[in-house]
Amino acid sequence: MRTFLQVLVNTAIANVTTSFLWFALTFWVYLETRSVLATGIIGGAYMLLIAFFAMLFGTIVDRHRKLQVMVFSSLVTLGSFVIAGVLYLLQPESALLDLGGPWFWAFSGIILFGSVVEHMRNIALSTTVTLLVPEDRHANANGLVGTVQGVAFIVTSVFSGLAIGLLGMGWTLLIAIALTLVALVHLLFLKVPEARPEPAEGERAPTIDFRGSVAAVRRAPGLFALILFSTLNNLIGGVYMALMDPYGLTIFTVEVWGIVLGVTATGFIIGGLVIAKFGLGRNPIRTMLLVVIGMGVLGALFTIREWWLLYALGIWAYMSIIPVVEASEQTVIQKVVPFQRQGRVFGFAAAVESAAAPVTAFLIAPIAQFWIIPYMESDQGQATWGWLLGDGDARGIALVFLFSGLVMVVLALLAFTTKSYRILSAEYAGTAESVPAAEAGAEEQAAADPRR
């Protein structure tokens, strides 16, 4: 458990760094261009890259020692941020902010790629729960992961806004490069007890083991449905990705908006600590779907009036239940999937779930920019929806939030009626235990070098 906590802290440092720069990029682009389309492109591209690379990441995690994967991820992220810094020095900001020019795509793409590669560490972290933590403490360990993510979100939200508002993009890049280097150096002093992973006899070793990932998912009845259930969270997440920052930056300055995000992110910590203390109940799948319904209700109501306090409280409540969804999925996978294939399953799940967010982000951003927002600013829009959404500068975004939240509620209620829900619930209840941590300790004796 002590080793797991060290890995958790190191991953938190890496998450803080990449989130800090990604948030700062989003803030910077919107403030300079005032384009909802631009923020939708950045957010959607981030999730699309995760969906594209997630199964590759999962295969890499299963084929290599987890610490080795984390070191490689940090090196690639550091290299990407350094290249982005060089581009910033060589090109004027006007070129980097021109959506029609190549340098916007190059600069944003390199930063996003470095942030996406860091996601490989999160997949590796999920498997280290099985490797290092006893099965009866998995839900609690996953709750700690949610808490650490909440701390990272607080730090990045506050300091991203302050960095862009007070220092600008250049100094923000420099800070991100320095923090990435600190995380890498710290990682080199860690040791994770794990033998060199060996493929099963006769098993092929493709670069992206799609067939192996699908086979691992199919071995656990109803597991694919669990992944789809978790995807419900990402459907509304794509809407938030495209529109949450533009809405917040409409009613707050960038410095205050960063602080608001930081304060509301205490919900991550509280939600994670509650799970760490009490677990997820007898049926994590049921818990997850109930929470998704709550997310839909919150999404429909937290912008129904343009009140800053309502928006802030809604974000806080939403963030407090995100760890429940994430921990529920991780706990079930860690129990019903063998450790040797968990990386591929987590990667497959990340690919499917992440693909939902860019779809909604890419669809919603142009629709909101060119149709819904102008419609709600017209007399007709105000006459039709003013009784429900009130007055303000961002009623078009509020209308999108309202309908996306209601759709999420309906989908979660339908999930309760499916056969897959009943099968997976029975499978989870009937599985005695996952790979115990003691096995990993025995394998350690066969490994000459834990980081090789």
Side-chain angles (χ1 to χ4, degrees):
M1 192 67 181
R2 181 179 300 174
T3 303
F4 169 72
L5 292 176
Q6 292 183 58
V7 173
L8 184 62
V9 170
N10 185 271
T11 304
I13 297 172
N15 285 343
V16 165
T17 305
T18 54
S19 298
F20 168 77
L21 190 54
W22 179 41
F23 273 53
L25 177 67
T26 304
F27 295 164
W28 181 64
V29 170
Y30 181 75
L31 289 172
E32 296 295 333
T33 66
R34 292 292 173 179
S35 173
V36 171
L37 182 61
T39 60
I41 289 173
I42 292 173
Y46 176 78
M47 297 304 293
L48 193 62
L49 286 170
I50 290 179
F52 182 79
F53 286 109
M55 281 193 289
L56 171 61
F57 293 164
T59 303
I60 292 172
V61 168
D62 277 346
R63 299 271 163 78
H64 300 84
R65 291 175 180 168
K66 309 307 174 272
L67 186 57
Q68 186 181 29
V69 170
M70 292 179 179
V71 171
F72 172 75
S73 171
S74 292
L75 285 171
V76 175
T77 298
L78 178 61
S80 299
F81 290 173
V82 168
I83 293 172
V86 172
L87 277 180
Y88 184 84
L89 292 175
L90 295 179
Q91 297 295 324
E93 286 195 357
S94 59
L96 299 177
L97 290 166
D98 181 7
L99 298 181
W103 294 114
F104 169 81
W105 299 100
F107 181 70
S108 300
I110 290 169
I111 291 176
L112 292 178
F113 178 74
S115 301
V116 166
V117 170
E118 195 267 335
H119 186 73
M120 193 188 307
R121 292 171 56 99
N122 295 331
I123 296 177
L125 178 65
S126 295
T127 65
T128 60
V129 172
T130 305
L131 180 67
L132 301 172
V133 180
E135 188 275 328
D136 60 347
R137 300 289 296 172
H138 281 183
N140 309 84
N142 290 326
L144 289 176
V145 172
T147 298
V148 168
Q149 290 173 342
V151 173
F153 195 92
I154 290 174
V155 174
T156 57
S157 300
V158 173
F159 286 98
S160 294
L162 292 175
I164 291 298
L166 301 177
L167 301 177
M169 192 63 190
W171 283 103
T172 301
L173 270 167
L174 183 61
I175 292 170
I177 292 170
L179 288 176
T180 304
L181 183 60
V182 168
L184 176 60
V185 172
H186 176 247
L187 197 62
L188 296 176
F189 289 93
L190 295 182
K191 292 184 178 180
V192 175
E194 182 188 7
R196 183 191 300 276
E198 298 291 344
E201 185 176 353
E203 183 183 38
R204 296 180 60 191
T207 303
I208 303 177
D209 192 3
F210 178 77
R211 295 178 65 181
S213 302
V214 174
V217 172
R218 293 181 63 183
R219 282 191 180 98
L223 187 57
F224 186 73
L226 171 70
I227 295 171
L228 292 181
F229 294 161
S230 299
T231 302
L232 296 177
N233 174 42
N234 290 60
L235 286 172
I236 196 170
V239 177
Y240 290 161
M241 186 180 302
L243 302 179
M244 180 176 284
D245 285 330
Y247 190 96
L249 292 170
T250 299
I251 57 180
F252 300 106
T253 65
V254 64
E255 295 90 346
V256 175
W257 174 232
I259 294 172
V260 168
L261 284 177
V263 173
T264 56
T266 58
F268 271 127
I269 300 176
I270 293 173
L273 289 176
V274 169
I275 299 169
K277 176 67 175 178
F278 299 106
L280 294 163
R282 295 181 179 179
N283 188 347
I285 305 101
R286 178 176 182 272
T287 302
M288 180 179 67
L289 289 178
L290 289 174
V291 165
V292 169
I293 292 173
M295 284 181 168
V297 173
L298 282 171
L301 298 180
F302 76 149
T303 57
I304 203 166
R305 288 292 186 275
E306 199 161 299
W307 301 337
W308 71 266
L309 183 59
L310 176 64
Y311 190 50
L313 289 175
I315 295 174
W316 180 87
Y318 177 80
M319 290 183 178
S320 70
I321 55 182
I322 285 178
V324 180
V325 178
E326 302 296 333
S328 297
E329 180 187 33
Q330 291 168 1
T331 301
V332 173
I333 291 175
Q334 288 157 356
K335 188 170 184 179
V336 304
V337 176
F339 172 72
Q340 293 78 6
R341 288 184 174 270
Q342 285 183 10
R344 277 165 283 186
V345 173
F346 279 119
F348 179 82
V352 174
E353 294 161 19
S354 300
V359 168
T360 51
F362 286 146
L363 285 175
I364 287 298
I367 291 173
Q369 177 83 23
F370 300 116
W371 180 54
I372 297 178
I373 292 176
Y375 166 72
M376 285 301 296
E377 290 175 350
S378 68
D379 294 338
Q380 181 183 359
Q382 280 293 313
T384 305
W385 298 100
W387 64 273
L388 180 61
L389 299 176
D391 298 321
D393 297 325
R395 296 301 81 204
I397 297 177
L399 185 64
V400 175
F401 282 149
L402 174 66
F403 280 100
S404 61
L406 294 177
V407 168
M408 192 175 187
V409 171
V410 172
L411 291 176
L413 289 173
L414 290 175
F416 271 115
T417 67
T418 62
K419 182 179 179 180
S420 296
Y421 166 74
R422 296 189 294 272
I423 291 175
L424 186 60
S425 297
E427 172 74 7
Y428 179 84
T431 301
E433 61 179 7
S434 64
V435 178
E439 274 190 31
E443 290 177 347
E444 179 189 6
Q445 299 176 4
D449 179 3
R451 290 181 291 178
R452 188 173 58 191

